[in-house]
Amino acid sequence: MISQATGPESPAPVQPQPPWDELLAATGQECLSGLKEAAERDWTVPAGGLEWSCRAALDHLALGLIGYAGLLIARPTDRYITLFASLDAQAPVAHCLEGLHIATVVLRSAVREAPATVRAWHPWGHSDASGFAAMGLAELTVHTFDIGRGLGLELRPSNEVSAVILDRLFPDAPVGHAASDTLLWCTGRTELPGLPHRTSWQWDGTVR
């Protein structure tokens, strides 16, 4: 089939965004693939500019993903959930990455099953399934970047996923920069030309 030609003034066609659960699946797999390359390195070193070690950052990441899933399932209105998850402190990193995969799948399932009307508490804004999915994507990409820096790897988030996170969680993000650079600036990881390094920040998960 021959597509109809468009004039130079015609806008580029908008590419549909994959469902949130598919974005989580693809991003989780990319992050895991990058981290697996460094599974045998020293994970006791600091994770980028964080006070946590790379191992502690991995544990925080798994806990956060399970926490977001739990909020979508329990749907509290004024508090965090009472279930916490952590990785086996005695297990090798390669096995703990299995735990990160499990946490990602649990969040994917919660996002996929949550009706559009669901709302749940979060300290940075009561949110819906898309908000918690975006939070999961932010945790995955940013902390994979942190761990990568600590281990000597360049594991930057993609511009495509970064743009989705920015659109959902950082409505006041500066424009005119690569989306990955902007996401890392919004979360206090890097600098942007003409803008000071952020020492404190938070996203806005409220439903828009």
Side-chain angles (χ1 to χ4, degrees), residues 69-152:
L71 287 167
L72 271 177
I73 294 168
R75 303 165 196 174
T77 60
D78 59 356
R79 59 175 175 80
Y80 202 71
I81 57 171
T82 56
L83 172 66
F84 290 87
S86 61
L87 301 172
D88 184 351
Q90 305 304 316
V93 169
H95 293 181
C96 289
L97 291 174
E98 174 188 85
L100 178 59
H101 171 65
I102 293 169
T104 304
V105 172
V106 171
L107 178 56
R108 281 170 46 202
S109 298
V111 167
R112 185 173 56 247
E113 297 300 323
T117 55
V118 163
R119 302 290 184 269
W121 177 90
H122 187 276
W124 292 352
H126 285 52
S127 202
D128 59 359
S130 70
F132 285 106
M135 293 179 213
L137 291 171
E139 298 278 4
L140 279 165
T141 55
V142 171
H143 287 312
T144 294
F145 173 78
D146 292 332
I147 295 169
R149 281 207 298 177
L151 299 177

Side-chain angles (χ1 to χ4, degrees), residues 6 15 22 26 50 57 71 78 97 111 116 129 156 158 167 183 193 201-202:
T6 59
Q15 297 300 319
E22 292 183 12
L50 304 180
L71 287 167
D78 59 356
L97 291 174
V111 167
R156 295 178 67 85
S158 71
D167 182 66
L183 176 61
W201 59 273
Q202 68 180 50

Side-chain angles (χ1 to χ4, degrees), residues 4-16:
Q4 182 178 357
T6 59
E9 73 282 353
S10 300
V14 176
Q15 297 300 319

